[in-house]
C-alpha cells in the first residue's frame, strides 16, 4: 500500500492502494510517519510524496472513519501529519488526479506542490458532518483569504487545478507529460543545495509552527466529536451503501 525508497538524497513515498483510489488506512499513515521521521537523517535532502495509478489519494478511508468511536484515538494520522509538519527538509508533492480530504489538507504542509491540469481537489468535511483538520482552518484563510477559504471549507465542493493555484494550494499547474520532469528538476535543484542552509531556510519559512500545532489540537477536539455525530454516521453509511445522504439527519 506504500512504496518507500531512498535514492540520491531523496526520500520518496508513493501511495499505492489503487482499488480504493489510494484511500488511507491506519497502517498507511503509520508507515508514512515512519518514513517521514527517517527524513531527519544526514543523507536525505528532500522528500517526494506522490500517488499512483493517476490518483493522489481519495483521503481517509471512510470505512475506517465509520469504525472509529470518540475514544478511539487517531494516533497514526496524527503522527503522520506531525511528522509532515516537522519534516526538516523540503517536501515536494506530485499531484495527479484526485487529492481529496486529507489529500488536500496535507498539501498545505508541503513546500512545493505541483499538479497536472486534470487534478481535482476537495475538502468535503462539511458534507460528511465533519470539520476542517490539521490546521487547514488556520492556514487556508492566511494563504487564500477568508472568502476563498470559506468557499472551499463551508461548501466542501470539488475544485480544479486552476482554482487550487488561485488559492495558493499548488505552486504550479503543468500538463501530465511535463509533471514528472518538473518534479525531478526541482528535486535535483534541492539536492544540489547546501544541506544546513536548506534546513535552516525551511525552518525560518515555516515560522508559525507553534500556532499551527495549537490549532491542530483545537480542530482535533471538535473533529473527534463530529466523527461520532448523527450527520457523520449518516454520511459515512450513505457513501458505503452507495446511496444519497438522508439530509433530514443534517438538521
Ligand atoms: N474511503 C473508502 N473507500 C473509498 C474512498 C474513501 N475515501 N474513496 C474511494 N473509495 C473506494 C470506493 O468505495 C470504491 O470501492 P468499491 O470499488 O469497492 O466500491 C473505489 O474506491 C473506487 O471509487 P469510486 O467511487 O467507484 O470511484 P469514482 O472515480 O467514481 O469516485 C471519488 C472517486 C474519490 C470521487 C469517490 O470515491 C469519493 O467521493 N470518495 C470519497 C472521498 C471522500 O469523501 N474522502 C474524504 C474523507 S474525509
Amino acid at each position: 500500500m506504500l512504496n518507500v525508497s531512498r535514492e540520491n538524497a531523496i526520500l520518496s513515498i508513493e501511495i499505492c492502494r489503487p482499488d480504493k483510489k489510494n484511500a488511507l488506512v491506519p497502517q498507511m499513515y503509520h508507515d508514512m510517519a515512519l518514513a517521514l521521521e527517517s527524513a531527519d537523517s544526514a543523507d536525505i535532502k528532500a522528500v517526494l510524496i506522490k500517488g499512483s495509478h493517476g490518483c493522489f489519494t481519495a483521503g481517509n478511508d471512510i470505512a475506517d472513519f465509520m469504525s472509529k468511536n470518540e475514544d478511539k484515538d487517531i494516533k497514526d494520522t496524527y503522527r503522520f501529519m506531525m511528522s509532515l509538519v516537522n519534516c526538516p527538509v523540503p517536501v515536494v508533492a506530485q499531484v495527479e488526479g484526485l487529492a481529496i480530504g486529507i489529500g488536500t489538507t496535507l498539501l498545505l504542509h508541503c513546500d512545493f506542490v505541483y499538479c497536472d491540469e486534470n487534478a481535482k481537489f476537495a475538502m468535503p468535511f462539511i458534507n460528511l458532518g465533519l470539520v476542517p483538520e490539521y490546521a487547514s482552518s488556520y492556514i487556508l484563510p492566511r494563504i487564500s483569504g477568508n472568502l476563498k477559504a470559506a468557499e472551499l471549507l463551508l461548501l466542501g465542493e470539488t475544485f480544479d487545478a486552476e482554482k487550487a493555484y488561485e488559492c495558493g494550494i499548488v505552486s504550479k499547474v503543468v500538463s501530465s507529460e511535463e509533471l514528472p520532469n518538473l518534479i525531478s528538476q526541482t528535486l535535483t535543484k534541492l539536492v544540489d543545495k547546501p544541506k544546513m542552509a536548506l534546513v535552516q531556510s525551511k525552518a525560518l519559512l515555516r515560522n508559525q509552527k507553534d500556532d499551527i500545532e495549537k490549532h491542530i489540537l483545537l480542530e482535533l477536539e471538535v473533529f473527534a466529536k463530529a466523527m461520532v455525530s448523527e450527520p457523520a454516521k449518516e454520511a459515512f453509511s450513505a457513501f458505503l451503501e452507495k446511496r444519497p445522504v438522508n439530509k433530514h439527519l443534517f438538521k
Side-chain angles (χ1 to χ4, degrees):
M1 290 192 285
L2 207 70
N3 298 317
V4 178
S5 62
R6 286 170 191 78
E7 209 180 324
N8 304 327
I10 299 160
L11 168 73
S12 299
I13 300 174
E14 183 190 58
I15 307 165
C16 189
R17 194 184 172 217
D19 55 323
K20 295 287 179 190
K21 302 273 174 188
N22 297 337
L24 299 164
V25 291
Q27 185 65 50
M28 294 162 83
Y29 288 121
H30 176 79
D31 294 348
M32 288 195 288
L34 285 185
L36 275 172
E37 284 162 10
S38 79
D40 192 8
S41 76
D43 59 331
I44 295 296
K45 290 173 89 175
V47 172
L48 170 65
I49 302 181
K50 61 180 186 172
S52 60
H53 301 82
C55 180
F56 189 62
T57 169
N60 199 90
D61 187 283
I62 291 183
D64 168 61
F65 263 159
M66 184 86 184
S67 71
K68 292 201 189 307
N69 57 52
E70 202 183 327
D71 303 329
K72 195 166 162 181
D73 62 21
I74 35 152
K75 65 177 182 348
D76 295 305
T77 319
Y78 180 73
R79 184 172 168 189
F80 159 61
M81 286 303 293
M82 294 318 291
S83 61
L84 181 59
V85 170
N86 291 311
C87 184
V89 294
V91 181
V92 178
Q94 176 174 350
V95 184
E96 285 160 293
L98 300 164
I100 313 285
I102 200 164
T104 295
T105 302
L106 74 84
L107 301 177
L108 302 173
H109 300 282
C110 296
D111 304 291
F112 298 82
V113 181
Y114 297 132
C115 73
D116 72 20
E117 295 152 332
N118 305 316
K120 293 271 180 284
F121 304 80
M123 288 170 285
F125 307 106
I126 190 83
N127 303 322
L128 297 166
L130 301 175
V131 299
E133 49 161 18
Y134 296 104
S136 52
S137 61
Y138 181 93
I139 298 172
L140 261 186
R142 285 165 175 79
I143 62 169
S144 316
N146 286 337
L147 298 183
K148 285 190 181 123
E151 212 180 3
L152 301 187
L153 290 171
L154 300 185
L155 295 181
E157 289 169 352
T158 303
F159 53 99
D160 63 14
E162 198 185 322
K163 176 97 178 175
Y165 178 72
E166 214 180 89
C167 292
I169 297 169
V170 306
S171 335
K172 203 169 197 178
V173 184
V174 294
S175 69
S176 37
E177 293 76 36
E178 285 171 284
L179 188 60
N181 275 344
L182 176 61
I183 295 286
S184 77
Q185 280 164 10
T186 305
L187 288 167
T188 305
K189 286 180 193 169
L190 289 170
V191 164
D192 283 346
K193 306 292 179 204
K195 168 92 187 245
M196 197 194 278
L198 195 59
V199 168
Q200 288 172 333
S201 300
K202 171 161 175 169
L204 289 165
L205 278 164
R206 297 265 163 189
N207 57 14
Q208 292 178 324
K209 230 157 58 176
D210 289 350
D211 290 337
I212 284 175
E213 287 184 16
K214 263 190 231 149
H215 200 84
I216 287 176
L217 294 177
L218 195 71
E219 286 171 334
L220 277 180
E221 215 174 291
V222 188
F223 196 95
K225 290 198 172 72
M227 215 156 59
V228 292
S229 66
E230 284 312 311
K233 284 188 204 155
E234 166 56 15
F236 300 156
S237 306
F239 175 76
L240 296 172
E241 291 161 18
K242 300 185 191 293
R243 61 166 173 82
V245 172
N246 177 357
K247 293 220 169 125
H248 288 303
L249 293 168
F250 279 16
K251 291 209 169 102

